[in-house]
Amino acid sequence: MVDYFRLVSDELLIKLSQTKQFIKKHNPTIGVLTEEILRSFLKTYLPNSVSVEQGFILSENGEMYKQCDILIYDSLYYAPFYRINDIVVVPSESVLAVIEVKTTLTKKIFHKVIEYFESFTFNQDIKKYLFVYYSTGITKLSEYFHSYKHNGDYQQFDHDSFQFLPDEITGINDSFHLKKDYVVISRDMMGYSSYFFENEEGTEISALQNFFISIYSLVEEYNERNNKSMNSKKDRDSYYKKGELKKYAAIELFDM
């Protein structure tokens, strides 16, 4: 399986590099193409029990969240509420992961990403990913975290604000794959860790492999849980709140 993940990651890297080669000075177009390449890649290699789309998440209380670059959701048991072309609106409990895709990463862009994920007040466990094509390095990214302006007087992350940050951050150039983790340097803290393997440190293929393996494992774990407990699936009726009964109508056909 190591060779398999290496091959599919290499395929994605080639497509991303082609975009970089031919469209060099138009970031909006590169951004759109990067999203589409990543969606197409995940559609091809993830199990058929999930779909990979762009669109919106609708909560049971009727709240519509901001548009998502990439949604990975259970399409085996949940149909979208709405679809037009390749944009969908899906129920929140069907979503496994949200992926925000960025072409570049500056301090301003990263702070906007934090605010973006803070707007998702999910009641259930939906994994949040940030995927960056032309990324800054981990040292600079650390500065972006610590320069973020919080609401109120307390200007550091804590357990409450930590939960809204992306669970994993993948940078292609510079190459890294950060995951939320216990961080032990001078003392025990919460933060992010990125692991680099022998002969692959700093290479794009290492970051892509870690990203893909994370997504694939997430889907596998979800399928395993779902197969064991289908009774937990919500009825679609829970999204359609009924008002007070005004009248009743029926068509009588035959006696019981």
Side-chain angles (χ1 to χ4, degrees), residues 3-16 41 45 204-213:
D3 290 338
Y4 167 76
F5 286 124
R6 186 187 300 274
L7 287 171
V8 296
S9 299
D10 193 36
E11 178 183 338
L12 175 59
L13 180 61
I14 289 170
K15 291 180 179 179
L16 292 172
F41 169 79
Y45 290 105
E204 297 92 337
I205 201 69
S206 175
L208 287 170
Q209 279 184 236
N210 282 296
F211 170 76
F212 179 61
I213 291 170

Side-chain angles (χ1 to χ4, degrees), residues 169-188:
I169 304 172
T170 302
I172 302 303
N173 295 309
D174 292 337
S175 178
F176 58 81
H177 183 78
L178 290 161
K179 300 175 68 173
K180 283 182 174 177
D181 199 0
Y182 291 104
V183 179
V184 181
I185 300 177
S186 58
R187 61 187 189 275
D188 292 350

Side-chain angles (χ1 to χ4, degrees), residues 111 114-115 118 142-158 161:
H111 290 176
I114 293 177
E115 293 170 0
E118 282 180 342
S142 177
E143 294 176 10
Y144 295 169
F145 271 113
H146 291 293
S147 63
Y148 181 70
K149 300 296 182 183
H150 298 263
N151 294 324
D153 296 330
Y154 189 72
Q155 290 299 306
Q156 295 184 27
F157 288 102
D158 55 20
S161 55

Side-chain angles (χ1 to χ4, degrees), residues 1-2 4-6 8-9 41-42 46 127 129 168 177 179 197 206-221:
M1 290 303 291
V2 172
Y4 167 76
F5 286 124
R6 186 187 300 274
V8 296
S9 299
F41 169 79
L42 293 172
L46 289 180
K127 202 160 186 180
Y129 292 84
E168 301 188 17
H177 183 78
K179 300 175 68 173
F197 298 95
S206 175
L208 287 170
Q209 279 184 236
N210 282 296
F211 170 76
F212 179 61
I213 291 170
S214 174
I215 298 284
Y216 198 94
S217 299
L218 177 69
V219 175
E220 283 192 323
E221 291 167 7

Side-chain angles (χ1 to χ4, degrees), residues 26-192:
H26 198 266
N27 284 340
T29 302
I30 293 174
V32 170
L33 290 176
T34 302
E35 292 173 22
E36 180 54 37
I37 289 170
L38 194 56
R39 278 195 298 269
S40 177
F41 169 79
L42 293 172
K43 285 179 183 179
T44 301
Y45 290 105
L46 289 180
N48 292 332
S49 58
V50 297
S51 287
V52 182
E53 313 272 4
Q54 60 177 315
F56 301 86
I57 301 172
L58 181 66
S59 70
E60 190 175 348
N61 64 10
E63 182 178 1
M64 183 83 78
Y65 295 106
K66 293 181 179 180
Q67 184 171 358
C68 305
D69 294 336
I70 299 178
L71 284 170
I72 300 175
Y73 70 97
D74 179 351
S75 56
L76 187 61
Y77 295 106
Y78 298 91
F81 289 114
Y82 176 77
R83 174 188 293 277
I84 180 167
N85 296 327
D86 60 347
I87 297 177
V88 295
V89 177
V90 297
S92 58
E93 70 268 15
S94 71
V95 181
L96 283 69
V98 172
I99 305 173
E100 177 74 354
V101 183
K102 293 297 181 186
T103 306
T104 59
L105 199 64
T106 64
K107 181 171 71 172
K108 182 178 180 180
I109 291 173
F110 185 66
H111 290 176
K112 288 291 185 182
V113 169
I114 293 177
E115 293 170 0
Y116 170 77
F117 281 122
E118 282 180 342
S119 70
F120 289 89
T121 53
F122 301 122
N123 292 324
Q124 65 282 342
D125 185 22
I126 296 177
K127 202 160 186 180
K128 304 180 293 293
Y129 292 84
L130 172 60
F131 184 94
V132 189
Y133 189 17
Y134 303 110
S135 179
T136 188
I138 293 178
T139 301
K140 183 65 70 173
L141 186 60
S142 177
E143 294 176 10
Y144 295 169
F145 271 113
H146 291 293
S147 63
Y148 181 70
K149 300 296 182 183
H150 298 263
N151 294 324
D153 296 330
Y154 189 72
Q155 290 299 306
Q156 295 184 27
F157 288 102
D158 55 20
H159 286 284
D160 291 333
S161 55
F162 188 62
Q163 65 177 316
F164 297 115
L165 293 173
D167 296 293
E168 301 188 17
I169 304 172
T170 302
I172 302 303
N173 295 309
D174 292 337
S175 178
F176 58 81
H177 183 78
L178 290 161
K179 300 175 68 173
K180 283 182 174 177
D181 199 0
Y182 291 104
V183 179
V184 181
I185 300 177
S186 58
R187 61 187 189 275
D188 292 350
M189 299 186 73
M190 294 298 298
Y192 289 83

